[in-house]
Amino acid sequence: MPSFRLLPVLALSTLLVAGCTSPGAAEPGASTAPGGQDAAHESRLDLIKSRGSLIVCTTGDYRPFTYKDPETGEFSGIDIAMVQDLASRLDVDIEYVQTTWKDLMPDFLAGCDIGAGGVSVSLARAEQAFYSSTVLDDGKTPITRCGEEELYDTVEEINSPGVRSITPIGGTNEIFADENYPNGEIIRFEDNNTIFDEIVAGRADVMTTDAAEVKWVDNEYPELCAVDPDNPFNFSQKAYLLPLGDTVFQEYVNQWLNLAENDGTYDAAKEPWWG
């Protein structure tokens, strides 16, 4: 009798075990990344090393983070110095894919390993990519001709009929302008490298961009002055774009950033631009 009463229990145990190991389930000890990828064998980290190069998406038009010299074709900037350091630590070459703010996400998803160059953290981008640890707190700040700062030191003043607010096409600056300046005139400009010349020339009144860029422009253009960059209109952060679901590569990049921020590497990258 005791042996017969055990049969249903044994049968139930067998069914439970079978249910926990359904066809296609990972073997014990296997590591699976989001999306069903094997994290140990499908990480971009392995691909970068086997390829021998780090592919970087960057716009080349957003100083102090990324700039492509039109004469030499060379890239420079804080984030350029940083990705060069990352490639060096990986012992691989570096390949740049120049993109635009409008095409940043499509170009990144087409095959870049990392997106860099003053990339702001946004939930829309987070739906398509991972971010690294943040490297900078920031926020939208106006810049205008010196002597006119008090005319544009609030959102309400800029959001007024007749105020010409210039913004590059694509990216978070254009989104901010569309959301906050519906009553003003928004000028959408293609070339972010020469956009500030439009304000100097009087063809635009103000530009609202990240405080980090505003501080650089304030030093580079004697005609232009930042409008209270230490108290921006909103809060944002900057980080690096990474492949969605690849926790192995994300962890590697975050550990690299931790080292770089504590061994002087990040400070050295900033020094030529901010001093």
Side-chain angles (χ1 to χ4, degrees):
M1 290 296 291
S3 61
F4 284 101
R5 282 196 293 269
L6 284 171
L7 284 175
V9 177
L10 291 171
L12 179 59
S13 299
T14 302
L15 287 172
L16 288 172
V17 171
C20 291
T21 56
S22 58
E27 292 294 325
S31 176
T32 304
Q37 292 182 328
D38 184 283
H41 300 291
E42 298 294 334
S43 172
R44 190 64 64 93
L45 182 62
D46 296 320
L47 177 60
I48 292 167
K49 289 185 174 181
S50 63
R51 186 202 301 134
S53 64
L54 178 71
I55 302 176
V56 179
C57 269
T58 192
T59 62
D61 68 349
Y62 186 27
R63 288 169 284 187
F65 300 102
T66 176
Y67 176 65
K68 184 179 181 181
D69 189 305
E71 296 183 1
T72 66
E74 296 293 321
F75 282 91
S76 61
I78 295 170
D79 284 348
I80 298 302
M82 289 298 289
V83 293
Q84 288 173 346
D85 180 76
L86 175 60
S88 176
R89 299 199 199 209
L90 284 166
D91 195 25
V92 297
D93 295 328
I94 193 165
E95 299 178 41
Y96 294 106
V97 174
Q98 186 171 14
T99 184
T100 64
W101 291 109
K102 180 177 64 175
D103 296 324
L104 173 62
M105 287 309 304
D107 286 345
F108 174 77
L109 295 173
C112 287
D113 302 314
I114 189 168
V119 179
S120 296
V121 175
S122 75
L123 293 179
R125 288 171 179 162
E127 292 178 1
Q128 304 176 74
F130 269 176
Y131 278 104
S132 70
S133 300
T134 56
V135 294
L136 182 70
D137 290 347
D138 212 345
K140 299 303 180 188
T141 303
I143 188 161
T144 186
R145 288 177 292 273
C146 293
E148 300 181 13
E149 298 96 301
E150 291 186 2
L151 298 176
Y152 311 112
D153 57 2
T154 67
V155 169
E156 291 74 21
E157 288 172 331
I158 300 173
N159 183 33
S160 300
V163 175
R164 298 167 299 169
S165 183
I166 195 166
T167 182
I169 297 173
T172 58
N173 287 341
E174 185 178 28
I175 292 171
F176 186 89
D178 286 337
E179 290 178 348
N180 291 278
Y181 308 141
N183 298 323
E185 178 186 348
I186 298 176
I187 301 171
R188 304 174 201 276
F189 199 72
E190 289 280 357
D191 187 1
N192 201 42
N193 279 322
T194 62
I195 195 167
F196 298 102
D197 296 331
E198 297 299 296
I199 305 174
V200 173
R203 292 186 287 269
D205 299 313
V206 62
M207 178 175 171
T208 307
T209 184
D210 296 318
E213 183 178 31
V214 163
K215 290 176 181 179
W216 176 81
V217 174
D218 186 281
N219 288 327
E220 290 293 313
Y221 286 77
E223 307 92 339
L224 301 181
C225 287
V227 181
D228 199 10
D230 293 326
N231 294 288
F233 288 159
N234 67 357
F235 171 78
S236 66
Q237 293 179 306
K238 297 196 180 300
Y240 301 117
L241 287 174
L242 303 171
L244 185 68
D246 194 336
T247 55
V248 172
F249 187 47
Q250 184 188 45
E251 281 297 315
Y252 182 90
V253 170
N254 286 343
Q255 290 302 320
W256 159 70
L257 279 174
N258 181 51
L259 292 172
E261 289 173 347
N262 286 280
D263 68 7
T265 299
Y266 192 53
D267 287 338
K270 293 187 295 183
E271 199 278 333
W273 302 89
W274 285 333

